[in-house]
């Protein structure tokens, strides 16, 4: 290993047995992942309440199409309203199950990479349909653009931080899955960026 590589590793915190991220940093990311999972669990618990799970509140949840006049966004919201209205109970149960699965997978650290990306896409779906991108933004008293957009960025940040590398079931199952399926799990603490630096 060259002196340049060693110096780069020291400056970047890439040295030590924990690989490129440093074990302490990975533990912090894992703690944030678990906290985010608990937040999803609270959201999921609301979805299992009688008003939502019976489909009685879906008109309120997805009824923002009438207040949004931007053509494409209006049509997108109306599509989801139609889908939910076709079978409100099934749609509500599906929503509750998806959020419960996201929460459990985040807390346990199971298939973390897939869950980070999946939860970001799901949260984007919520933001673009139920929250209608927070539109119209000229409504008197508006204070934010909707909370689901923060879930999108939180999920992507956890993915970038390799938050499934430690304190996770991924650490147990990763070696058994092989390289192809292993990509769905959190990164190994020794894996990311170690090869390029070693080649320098």
């Amino acid at each position: 290993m060259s002196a340049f590589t060693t110096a780069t590793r020291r400056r970047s915190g890439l040295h030590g047995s924990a690989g490129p991220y440093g074990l302490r940093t990975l533990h912090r990311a894992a703690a944030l992942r678990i906290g985010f999972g608990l937040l999803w669990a609270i959201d999921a618990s609301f979805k299992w309440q009688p008003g939502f799970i019976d489909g009685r509140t879906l008109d309120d949840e997805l009824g923002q199409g009438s207040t949004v006049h931007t053509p494409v966004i209006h049509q997108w919201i109306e599509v989801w309203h139609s889908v939910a209205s076709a079978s409100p109970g099934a749609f509500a149960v599906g929503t509750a199950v998806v959020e419960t699965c996201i929460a459990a997978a985040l807390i346990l650290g199971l298939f973390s990479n897939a869950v980070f990306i999946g939860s970001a896409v799901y949260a984007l779906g919520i933001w673009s349909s139920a929250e209608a991108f927070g539109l119209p933004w000229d409504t008197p008293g508006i204070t934010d653009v909707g909370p689901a957009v923060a879930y999108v960025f939180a999920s992507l940040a956890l993915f970038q931080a390799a938050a499934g590398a430690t304190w996770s079931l991924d650490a147990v199952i990763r070696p058994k899955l092989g390289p192809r399926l292993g990509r769905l799990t959190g990164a190994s603490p020794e894996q990311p960026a170690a090869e390029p630096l070693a080649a320098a």
Side-chain angles (χ1 to χ4, degrees):
M1 184 183 298
S2 70
F4 172 77
T5 303
T6 305
T8 303
R9 281 178 177 256
R10 283 195 184 123
R11 278 197 308 274
S12 307
L14 301 180
H15 59 293
S17 60
Y21 291 107
L23 194 55
R24 204 174 280 174
T25 301
L26 289 174
H27 286 336
R28 287 188 200 116
L32 289 172
R33 183 200 77 231
I34 293 166
F36 191 46
L38 292 172
L39 188 61
W40 272 105
I42 294 168
D43 285 349
S45 72
F46 295 147
K47 303 301 188 296
W48 289 105
Q49 297 301 312
F52 186 88
I53 204 70
D54 297 335
R56 294 193 306 258
T57 63
L58 283 178
D59 276 341
D60 294 333
E61 299 279 341
L62 292 167
Q64 302 214 23
S66 60
T67 63
V68 176
H69 304 295
T70 307
V72 175
I73 297 172
H74 174 82
Q75 291 159 353
W76 172 253
I77 296 168
E78 288 300 316
V79 164
W80 281 106
H81 188 269
S82 299
V83 169
S85 299
S87 183
F91 188 87
V93 169
T95 301
V97 167
V98 168
E99 292 194 10
T100 301
C101 289
I102 290 172
L106 287 170
I107 292 168
L108 298 174
L110 183 61
F111 294 109
S112 300
N113 285 347
V115 172
F116 295 145
I117 300 301
S119 63
V121 171
Y122 180 80
L124 182 61
I126 292 172
W127 186 53
S128 66
S129 58
E131 294 181 5
F133 298 105
L135 294 170
W137 292 347
D138 58 354
T139 303
I142 190 169
T143 57
D144 59 60
V145 294
V149 68
Y151 283 49
V152 175
F153 287 101
S155 296
L156 296 176
L158 289 170
F159 174 78
Q160 185 64 30
T166 61
W167 295 348
S168 65
L169 290 177
D170 284 348
V172 177
I173 67 171
R174 185 185 308 113
K176 301 173 184 176
L177 293 177
R180 186 167 291 176
L181 289 177
R183 292 179 186 159
L184 300 175
T185 66
S188 168
E190 292 81 19
Q191 176 189 18
E195 293 82 1
L197 282 175

